[in-house]
Amino acid sequence: MHRVLVTGGSGFLGSHLCDRLIERGNDILCIDNFFTGSKINIKHLLKHPNFEVMRHDLTQPLYVEVNRIFNLACPASPVHYQHDPIQTTKTSVLGAINMLGLAKRLRARILQASTSEVYGDPEIHPQVEGYWGQVNPIGVRSCYDEGKRCAESLFFDYYRKWSLDIKVMRIFNTYGPRMHPNDGRVVSNFIVQALRGEPITIFGDGTQTRSFCYVDDMIDGMLRLMDAPVEFTGPVNFGNPIEFTMLELAETVIKIVGGKASLTFKALPQDDPKQRQPDISLAKQVLGWEPRVSLDEGLKETAAYFRQLLRV
């Protein structure tokens, strides 16, 4: 049994991770400032003897005793991370410094939840881990993109200087139950609009592509990476390599939700990438990981969650 710290543990990914860690018999300390996380996501765990939650802002030092750290804390949707971009950068950078310092003191293994956004608007397709990316360092998304890039840099500096036991995963678009209904991400946007009978908003002409990984698959990958041999640090891509255009996603959501939702088109946001698809060869080769939940299956589960949440 491990004593595990999960930062951002009441968020979308964090709460699912806490569930899986509890199932494994671990002792969990969930840290969150509840800016984007929700107590509803972890309500079912609050009375579990192996689960503890603490309100804490990761930009401040933390002194606890654990032997594994999952660093997931940071707003991950454009709506949320652009709300207070300075705080977003501080969470990524100061949060990484504080957690790396804690891991160094405890000699704990630490996993960084990085992002496909480190690739920016990519010039190569699909994206491989060796690609350095094309990021606008002064754009509206740079608080998140550059914050996560700096965090990766810090992780590898601690690895080189102190031989810290690190794992770095780059998470591509992930969806599923417990997403925030107003997070501005395309899957939640489309489902919520379709359930409410509103026009589905497509930015640009709808030909831009994304790949969508269901949350259960992503958590499986996260756990496999954390359990991997010490010499395998990453970074490693996790996501679904099957691409869909925004028009294809909208059509699939309408088919699953039902009704006759219409489409409305708006201008593409600044620095919005035109293509995003992971090369997951490394995850397959080293970890034996690849996503197994189809888009139709995952969207059905997600739509059912939002239908209950919104009572529509």
Side-chain angles (χ1 to χ4, degrees):
M1 182 179 75
H2 294 286
R3 171 71 170 164
V4 184
L5 170 62
V6 180
T7 73
S10 73
F12 164 48
L13 283 180
S15 61
H16 284 279
L17 175 61
C18 287
D19 284 343
R20 292 282 290 275
L21 291 170
I22 287 289
E23 289 174 7
R24 285 181 161 203
N26 294 295
D27 196 13
I28 310 302
L29 175 58
C30 166
I31 298 293
D32 213 299
N33 67 358
F34 297 102
F35 171 56
T36 57
S38 171
K39 291 180 181 178
I40 294 173
N41 291 338
I42 55 172
K43 183 180 179 180
H44 60 290
L45 295 175
L46 293 178
K47 293 184 179 180
H48 196 287
N50 288 3
F51 184 80
E52 180 183 359
V53 61
M54 178 190 301
R55 182 185 291 270
H56 181 80
D57 192 315
L58 212 63
T59 61
Q60 303 300 317
L62 180 68
Y63 303 100
V64 294
E65 300 296 321
V66 295
N67 53 27
R68 286 196 167 187
I69 302 169
F70 289 86
N71 187 34
L72 276 62
C74 188
S77 72
V79 168
H80 290 146
Y81 66 65
Q82 291 175 27
H83 173 74
D84 188 346
I86 296 170
Q87 183 66 21
T88 296
T89 301
K90 289 170 69 175
T91 299
S92 289
V93 179
L94 295 179
I97 290 171
N98 287 330
M99 288 302 97
L100 287 163
L102 179 64
K104 176 175 173 286
R105 178 176 71 83
L106 300 174
R107 302 309 300 173
R109 175 171 289 192
I110 181 169
L111 180 145
Q112 167 69 0
S114 190
T115 172
S116 62
E117 296 294 337
V118 300
Y119 299 121
D121 191 3
E123 300 168 293
I124 67 168
H125 192 73
Q127 290 79 60
V128 295
E129 289 87 352
Y131 175 53
W132 292 352
Q134 178 181 238
V135 174
N136 177 0
I138 60 171
V140 295
R141 301 169 69 103
S142 63
C143 59
Y144 185 67
D145 301 0
E146 296 289 24
K148 289 289 191 177
R149 285 161 69 95
C150 184
E152 285 197 17
S153 175
L154 286 162
F155 266 69
F156 279 92
D157 283 337
Y158 269 76
Y159 169 71
R160 286 184 287 262
K161 186 172 180 62
W162 303 108
S163 300
L164 196 63
D165 188 356
I166 68 165
K167 308 291 180 185
V168 176
M169 66 185 301
R170 291 176 176 164
I171 299 173
F172 283 69
N173 289 57
T174 307
Y175 70 99
R178 301 182 195 164
M179 295 182 79
H180 194 291
N182 300 316
D183 67 4
R185 296 190 228 195
V186 65
V187 171
S188 51
N189 274 359
F190 284 8
I191 291 176
V192 168
Q193 288 174 333
L195 285 171
R196 289 174 172 167
E198 301 170 352
I200 289 180
T201 303
I202 292 181
F203 293 97
D205 61 6
T207 59
Q208 67 271 33
T209 64
R210 295 291 187 275
S211 56
F212 302 100
C213 185
Y214 189 62
V215 61
D216 288 357
D217 286 329
M218 186 59 65
I219 298 302
D220 179 52
M222 190 177 292
L223 292 171
R224 290 191 188 208
L225 178 58
M226 183 58 106
D227 292 339
V230 64
E231 62 271 12
F232 185 64
T233 62
V236 56
N237 291 336
F238 287 92
N240 196 317
I242 302 175
E243 272 186 291
F244 293 91
T245 67
M246 297 302 94
L247 289 172
E248 289 172 332
L249 176 65
E251 291 168 0
T252 305
V253 167
I254 292 170
K255 178 186 71 175
I256 288 171
V257 171
K260 297 180 179 180
S262 60
L263 304 180
T264 183
F265 293 83
K266 294 186 178 181
L268 201 63
Q270 180 186 347
D271 299 328
D272 193 63
K274 299 174 183 65
Q275 287 183 306
R276 189 60 63 74
Q277 180 192 17
D279 183 313
I280 60 169
S281 302
L282 186 60
K284 281 184 178 180
Q285 176 185 346
V286 178
L287 304 173
W289 179 89
E290 61 182 316
R292 303 190 180 280
V293 179
S294 70
L295 183 65
D296 277 27
E297 184 181 353
L299 287 176
K300 287 176 183 176
E301 293 294 325
T302 310
Y305 167 78
F306 279 121
R307 193 182 298 277
Q308 184 178 23
L309 180 70
L310 302 174
R311 302 183 186 277
V312 293

